[in-house]
Amino acid sequence: MPPSTVNRQWLLERRPVGAVAAEDFRFNEADIPVPTDGEVLVRSLYFGYDASQRIWLTDDGGYMEPIRIGEPMRTMGIGQVVASRDPGYQVGDLVEGFLSWQDYVLARGDGPMPLRVLPPADHPLSWHLGVFGVGGLTAYFGITDGLQVKPGDTVVVSAATGATGSLAVQIAKALGAKRVIGTAGGEEKCRWVVEKTGCDVAIDYKTDNLDARLRELCPDGVDAYFDNVGGDMLDTMLLHMNPLGRVLICGAMSSGYCDVKMQGPSNYMRICTYQLTVRGILLFFYRDRLAEGAAQLGEWVREGRLHVEEHVVEGFEHAPALLPTMFTGKQPGKLILKVADPD
Ligand SMILES: NC(=O)c1ccc[n+]([C@@H]2O[C@H](COP(=O)([O-])OP(=O)(O)OC[C@H]3O[C@@H](n4cnc5c(N)ncnc54)[C@H](OP(=O)(O)O)[C@@H]3O)[C@@H](O)[C@H]2O)c1
């Protein structure tokens, strides 16, 4: 149970150089804030972990404002409204959106991804951060709109054990892709990808020669590549795309996200000579279609066509220690911290 009069917080103590560490954050206790016009006071219940949180810790911040020293760490989360000065939110509403590592967060209904009021549901609340959250929705819009996967396609998904990749694989299969190949780190994770996501084959990016394996597994080339990794993997993938192939840039896990500047692929002339379509995805652009994506994902879940995997750790005190694990080998699926139960 969170304290009722104290607001526990994890504040950014220093800007990490290289890999993020738990020591980059400092525990603090503050008063519970009071909302003013347009604000909503949310009690935190769950925090979701995303690799892109590391980029928010750079001076630049990437695609969002950087987190400043002394500020609570930003996170996607689920909470319950405890006071509201916005008519769009009622006390007791369960909401999902941008929160921060504190028991009580002042949030607003505007911004790039407004707080979503969650509908009553018969699945675990935490799924709104996974299959119905950033990972699932990005996988859905990435496979359907970004890559336009169709029956008969050969599709490759990198980081296929991840919250996003594991669902991208399954959505591609649900849409009738002929063959879906995933990449994962190590034998056990490769097995997981095949058994749990229905991936046809997994390539171990740590020990396999990606180029040789792709030549063997996709002699007729790749039609669509869902890229969560960037770096050398993207470079190699470009050489295996079919003419008019589609590439979706979703993430750059191989970079570690320590800097906003990254090295682009050296095989980029393949984009020209094979007339590839390379497209990015950022869920903010789909903010008006989130309900549509969640509805389709929900239907597939009910039909038993999507396996949902999450790893839930409990306890506010663990918030900083979990962040580095995003880059050092986490368990498959969505990593979530449970902070409190709803009323
Ligand atoms: N553009 C958007 O709107 C958007 C939305 C959601 C996510 N993303 C991005 O999509 C990517 C995946 O997100 P996620 O939510 O699925 O993350 P996740 O659950 O943390 O999974 C990340 C995966 O990356 C793999 N990985 C880590 N380091 C790697 C490396 N050096 N080379 C290859 N694979 C590596 C890990 O695979 P193993 O455990 O098998 O090693 C892990 O499964 C991230 O880059 C994230 O920032 C973008």
Side-chain angles (χ1 to χ4, degrees):
M1 279 288 286
S4 56
T5 55
V6 173
N7 187 22
R8 296 175 299 171
Q9 305 177 309
W10 283 105
L11 310 179
L12 180 61
E13 170 75 351
R14 61 181 189 210
R15 213 166 269 302
V17 178
V20 63
E23 296 71 34
D24 295 327
F25 302 92
R26 168 172 70 84
F27 182 75
N28 188 48
E29 290 186 344
D31 292 337
I32 298 173
V34 176
T36 56
D37 276 354
E39 289 181 331
V40 182
L41 183 65
V42 176
R43 184 166 70 85
S44 299
L45 305 177
Y46 291 92
F47 299 148
Y49 282 78
D50 294 284
S52 58
Q53 285 174 283
R54 173 64 188 88
I55 209 106
W56 304 338
L57 294 170
T58 61
D59 277 327
D60 181 279
Y63 60 101
M64 293 191 80
E65 282 293 303
I67 294 156
R68 294 184 175 74
I69 307 293
E71 282 182 353
M73 178 63 192
R74 187 190 300 134
T75 182
M76 297 304 286
I78 292 170
Q80 190 160 34
V81 175
V82 292
S84 177
R85 298 284 297 272
D86 178 331
Y89 301 90
Q90 311 304 319
V91 171
D93 281 351
L94 292 168
V95 291
E96 185 267 350
F98 283 107
L99 301 181
S100 50
W101 288 351
Q102 29 181 1
D103 284 318
Y104 292 92
V105 182
L106 278 182
R108 298 187 62 90
D110 51 16
M113 289 276 275
L115 279 181
R116 288 191 289 168
V117 177
L118 301 175
D122 54 5
H123 58 72
L125 192 53
S126 54
W127 284 18
H128 289 291
L129 288 173
V131 62
F132 302 123
V134 177
L137 291 164
T138 303
Y140 175 75
F141 289 113
I143 289 288
T144 56
D145 197 40
L147 286 175
Q148 306 198 356
V149 168
K150 52 186 187 312
D153 275 348
T154 295
V155 181
V156 175
V157 177
S158 56
T161 57
T164 308
S166 61
L167 287 157
V169 168
Q170 300 179 71
I171 294 165
K173 290 295 270 187
L175 293 176
K178 180 177 72 182
R179 192 148 218 229
V180 183
I181 292 160
T183 70
E187 215 174 292
E188 202 178 313
K189 284 186 174 165
C190 283
R191 198 173 322 114
W192 184 91
V193 167
V194 171
E195 285 175 7
K196 301 290 185 179
T197 72
C199 202
D200 294 288
V201 190
I203 299 177
D204 183 346
Y205 73 87
K206 291 188 173 163
T207 56
D208 286 345
N209 177 322
L210 181 65
D211 184 54
R213 286 289 279 149
L214 285 169
R215 227 172 316 183
E216 177 193 326
L217 295 169
C218 313
D220 297 325
V222 174
D223 301 303
Y225 172 45
F226 194 114
D227 182 29
N228 286 312
V229 168
D232 290 345
M233 204 179 272
L234 171 60
D235 224 0
T236 303
M237 282 305 308
L238 286 177
L239 298 179
H240 289 269
M241 300 306 298
N242 280 327
L244 302 180
R246 293 98 65 199
V247 176
L248 184 84
I249 307 296
C250 176
M253 286 305 299
S254 67
S255 72
Y257 286 134
C258 297
D259 197 338
V260 288
K261 275 186 115 173
M262 294 170 198
Q263 190 65 46
S266 57
N267 292 324
Y268 87 103
M269 276 308 285
R270 267 299 167 104
I271 299 167
C272 167
T273 55
Y274 274 44
Q275 281 202 188
L276 304 180
T277 299
V278 180
R279 201 173 144 173
I281 185 163
L282 187 66
L283 200 55
F284 293 0
F285 286 89
Y286 292 95
R287 53 181 277 175
D288 298 329
R289 294 181 57 192
L290 299 182
E292 168 200 330
Q296 177 60 75
L297 290 164
E299 206 173 303
W300 282 329
V301 168
R302 278 190 298 281
E303 290 169 2
R305 298 174 79 180
L306 293 187
H307 167 77
V308 177
E309 185 90 14
E310 57 177 20
H311 175 52
V312 183
V313 177
E314 217 167 318
F316 183 82
E317 65 277 16
H318 301 301
L322 290 179
L323 189 54
T325 70
M326 295 300 288
F327 300 95
T328 55
K330 55 182 267 297
Q331 294 186 27
K334 183 73 187 175
L335 176 60
I336 288 172
L337 183 71
K338 180 176 178 186
V339 176
D341 283 311
D343 283 338

